[in-house]
Amino acid sequence: MCVRLAEDEVREDLAWESVPLEMLYAAEPWRTFRWYMGQKHYSGSYWSSTQSDHVIYESRLELARLLYADFDRDVTGIVAQPFLLRAEVDGALRRHIPDYLMATTAGPLVVDVKPRHWVAGPEHAFTFSWTREAVEARGWCYEAWSEPPDAELANVRFLAGYRRDWLFEPDLLEEEGDEAVDEEPPPDRLFDPAILDDVRDRVVDGETLGEAFACLPERPAPLVRAAVLHLLWKQQWLTDLSVPLSARSVLRSAS
């Protein structure tokens, strides 16, 4: 297998069975973006709250998988295009670059992202089969991921707008004006860290999202909504994401 490290250092002919996991977690993306007239996929970078950095994607479906990984409390690290895997399969040398390597509380997870109609095709099914065999031989998990339910994806994408922890950190307010954290933030600020604890204290298990939004009538409503949705992104509360979020969505304590 091959791994690209910082400063374009490439390590080739590494033994898959013994390559250090730490090296893979530190890998740079194997490929660079490809741009050409009429391309059908959409590439970009997503700022991951898990990584506190940008992670690349080469399609909207890969972006969706990043959103889900960022929302998953069991995922602690994400590496895009982590390595080039080579193996002899049926007498021929095969090559494959997985889309993501994720560090999880259950161990490493290698992920390939493809549309559902591609996964069922013989060429991709064959590639995923020998890749899965190689990955699971190391005791790791492998996943071929396809389109999630529309409503669930829309909910996760919406909540991702409130994912940035640092926007709620008290030090941010202090650095931008030496304000006390219990003072009302400037009118153009969307987030107020002082509200988070108040929201945690006021909202109880079984209340609706609408009731949570109204739990601090003395505070600016947009800031209360931002705090509630940030805590929902952090999954300090849970709700049914299989249907569109609404004021009637019931919140359940995650503890």
Side-chain angles (χ1 to χ4, degrees):
M1 67 172 299
C2 303
V3 180
R4 187 183 303 278
L5 301 175
E7 300 180 354
D8 286 332
E9 177 188 357
V10 177
R11 300 289 302 274
E12 300 188 60
D13 298 323
L14 296 169
W16 167 248
E17 297 79 7
S18 58
V19 63
L21 184 56
E22 294 75 16
M23 179 184 293
L24 301 182
Y25 284 152
E28 295 290 322
W30 182 259
R31 288 192 298 262
T32 56
F33 283 151
R34 293 168 292 176
W35 304 100
Y36 56 89
M37 182 68 71
Q39 70 180 32
K40 296 181 179 180
H41 62 276
Y42 180 91
S43 303
S45 297
Y46 167 78
W47 190 89
S48 164
S49 59
T50 301
Q51 288 293 107
S52 295
D53 200 354
H54 287 89
V55 181
I56 68 168
Y57 58 87
E58 290 191 310
S59 69
R60 290 190 180 276
L61 190 57
E62 287 187 15
L63 173 57
R65 185 63 185 91
L66 283 179
L67 289 167
Y68 273 72
D70 218 19
F71 188 55
D72 189 341
R73 291 182 297 175
D74 291 331
V75 175
T76 59
I78 308 169
V79 184
Q81 300 175 13
F83 51 79
L84 169 64
L85 184 62
R86 296 187 294 203
E88 185 174 326
V89 183
D90 294 342
L93 180 63
R94 313 289 180 176
R95 298 177 176 85
H96 180 57
I97 304 170
D99 293 311
Y100 296 106
L101 169 64
M102 299 180 186
T104 79
T105 56
L109 170 65
V110 176
V111 180
D112 276 311
V113 179
K114 286 292 182 291
R116 191 169 291 108
H117 68 278
W118 285 20
V119 172
E123 181 179 349
H124 288 94
F126 175 74
T127 299
F128 295 158
S129 176
W130 70 257
T131 302
R132 179 186 297 276
E133 183 176 347
V135 169
E136 293 181 348
R138 289 201 63 168
W140 300 353
C141 292
Y142 175 78
E143 171 186 274
W145 196 84
S146 299
E147 296 88 344
D150 290 342
E152 185 179 82
L153 174 58
N155 289 332
V156 173
R157 181 185 290 120
F158 170 71
L159 292 176
Y162 302 86
R163 67 189 180 277
R164 296 170 174 83
D165 288 326
W166 57 270
L167 289 175
F168 291 87
E169 293 174 358
D171 289 346
L172 182 65
L173 289 179
E174 295 170 358
E175 292 172 1
E176 295 187 359
D178 295 324
E179 302 164 296
V181 295
D182 58 350
E183 292 180 0
E184 185 173 322
D188 60 347
R189 180 175 294 285
L190 180 58
F191 305 108
D192 183 356
I195 290 179
L196 285 178
D197 288 338
D198 292 339
V199 168
R200 290 189 186 98
D201 291 340
R202 294 285 186 90
V203 178
V204 298
D205 185 88
E207 287 191 334
T208 65
L209 193 56
E211 290 171 329
F213 288 162
C215 72
L216 296 173
E218 71 280 7
R219 294 284 198 168
L223 301 181
V224 176
R225 287 197 298 271
V228 170
L229 293 170
H230 176 67
L231 294 174
L232 194 55
W233 167 266
K234 299 291 290 183
Q235 298 187 57
Q236 296 188 19
W237 297 313
L238 306 176
T239 194
D240 184 5
L241 297 180
S242 66
V243 295
L245 285 171
S246 72
R248 297 184 299 276
S249 298
V250 177
L251 302 179
R252 295 298 182 187
S253 174
S255 56

